[in-house]
Structures are given as structure tokens and as C-alpha cells.
Amino acid sequence: MRHIIFIIMAAVFVNNYVLQQFLGICPFLGVSKKLDQASGMSIAVIFVMVLATAVTWPIQKFLLDPNNMGYLQTVVFILVIAALVQLVEIILKRYIPSLHKALGIYLPLITTNCAVLGVTILNITEGYGFGESIANAFGSGLGFFLAMVLFSGVRSRMENCKPTKSFEGLPITLVAASITAMSFFGFTGVVETLLG
């Protein structure tokens, strides 16, 4: 159990997919203007990451690896993720239409969110078992949620300041994102120290 907790903590803070590995930057920059949209998108990403891992891990271990078809990993994983995102979109449209409307174009973009594909592939690459993979996917989703919520707060504060003309819009957003990412580098080595 302690090992699972460390995997989750490492995925949230040390190996954060957005702020450390720079995966999933498109929704990070696109949906982080408002807290409700950022949190809604993050919950959908957590759900898709865990579900995608629960489906892709057995496919890799029981279908692709035994039949020497590992070269199909990326294609198969993308197809699985696309199907799961469609499922999430149908559920949100049916049961939470306000969130579906607020997420707009960004919900189908979860299909192309490289953080979702990254977590499924890195679970295999790291040699995680099924339970460890689910824990890593959940922790990675929580890390995505944390990054989105933190950056949403930063962006709301940025609306009240007046940067110079050359920094208005995307440039000041990228500077703020880089400073937010640098703050997470302070967690490097924390989990290894706790395990040691």
C-alpha cells in the first residue's frame, strides 16, 4: 500500500505530466482561464486516464506482447483513447449538458491530449503491474488537475495586471506557465528521499 501511495505522490508532484514532462500543454493553456472549466476538464482527463490505463494495460500484456505485435502499441492505444473520449462526451452531453457546453471543443481534444497517451505508454515502459499502472494513471490525473487549478488561479490574477504591450496575451501566459512549472522542480528528489 505504501508503494502505491508513493507512485501517486510521485505522479502528482515529482513527475507531473504537465509541469515536469510538458505533456498536455494544449488544454493546460486553452482551458485554464476559468476555474470551473479547468476543473471540469481535469475530472474528465482523470476519468479517461484511469479508464484508458485499465483497458490498454491488459491489451498490451495479453494481446500485443504475446503475439509480438508491440509495434502496434501507439495505434491501438490511440484508438482505445478515442473510443473512451467519445464515451465520456456522450455521458457528459446526456447527464451534465452545462459542463459539456462549457468544455466545448476541448472535450474531443482529450483524444489528442498527449498526457493521456503518455501515461498509458509510460506505464508499460516503466514496467508497472496493473495496480501500479492504475495508481500512476490516477496520480497523473490528479497532477493534471492540480496544474490546471493552480494555473487557473494564476491566470485569474493576471487579468488584473497590465503587462507591457509586447507581453499581452499569450507571451505573459507562457511566462506565467514557465514560472509555475519551475515551482514544481522543487519537488524533485522528495519521493526518492522518502523511499530511501
Side-chain angles (χ1 to χ4, degrees):
M1 184 64 180
R2 185 175 179 219
H3 180 64
I4 298 295
I5 292 170
F6 281 125
I7 288 175
I8 293 171
M9 296 300 286
V12 172
F13 296 109
V14 180
N15 301 320
N16 189 293
Y17 275 77
V18 177
L19 300 174
Q20 291 281 347
Q21 299 186 29
F22 308 113
L23 297 173
I25 298 295
C26 295
F28 177 68
L29 294 174
V31 189
S32 61
K33 286 184 180 180
K34 295 181 180 175
L35 180 61
D36 58 338
Q37 289 181 358
S39 57
M41 170 66 117
S42 299
I43 290 168
V45 167
I46 291 170
F47 180 73
V48 170
M49 277 186 176
V50 171
L51 200 57
T53 296
V55 173
T56 57
W57 192 92
I59 287 173
Q60 180 72 35
K61 294 298 180 184
F62 300 118
L63 180 66
L64 298 179
D65 286 348
N67 295 309
N68 295 321
M69 296 189 305
Y71 59 90
L72 292 174
Q73 179 188 57
T74 304
V75 174
V76 170
F77 284 16
I78 288 173
L79 290 173
V80 167
I81 291 166
L84 292 174
V85 168
Q86 290 301 311
L87 176 69
V88 169
E89 187 172 12
I90 289 168
I91 290 169
L92 286 179
K93 191 173 185 178
R94 171 91 174 150
Y95 296 107
I96 313 172
S98 59
L99 180 58
H100 180 266
K101 186 177 179 183
L103 291 175
I105 188 68
Y106 295 106
L107 185 59
L109 288 179
I110 294 176
T111 303
T112 59
N113 185 344
C114 52
V116 177
L117 180 61
V119 77
T120 58
I121 290 176
L122 287 174
N123 284 333
I124 303 299
T125 305
E126 293 293 323
Y128 287 148
F130 184 75
E132 295 169 327
S133 295
I134 295 295
N136 186 50
F138 180 69
S140 300
L142 288 178
F144 186 86
F145 182 86
L146 178 64
M148 291 288 282
V149 168
L150 284 175
F151 198 58
S152 175
V154 169
R155 288 186 78 172
S156 68
R157 294 293 302 260
M158 286 176 16
E159 288 178 5
N160 298 328
C161 63
K162 294 286 183 190
T164 60
K165 187 79 171 157
S166 60
F167 275 93
E168 287 180 358
L170 186 60
I172 194 67
T173 303
L174 292 175
V175 169
S178 64
I179 292 170
T180 305
M182 284 191 323
S183 68
F184 269 67
F185 280 97
F187 292 114
T188 305
V190 169
V191 173
E192 289 81 6
T193 302
L194 292 174
L195 286 174

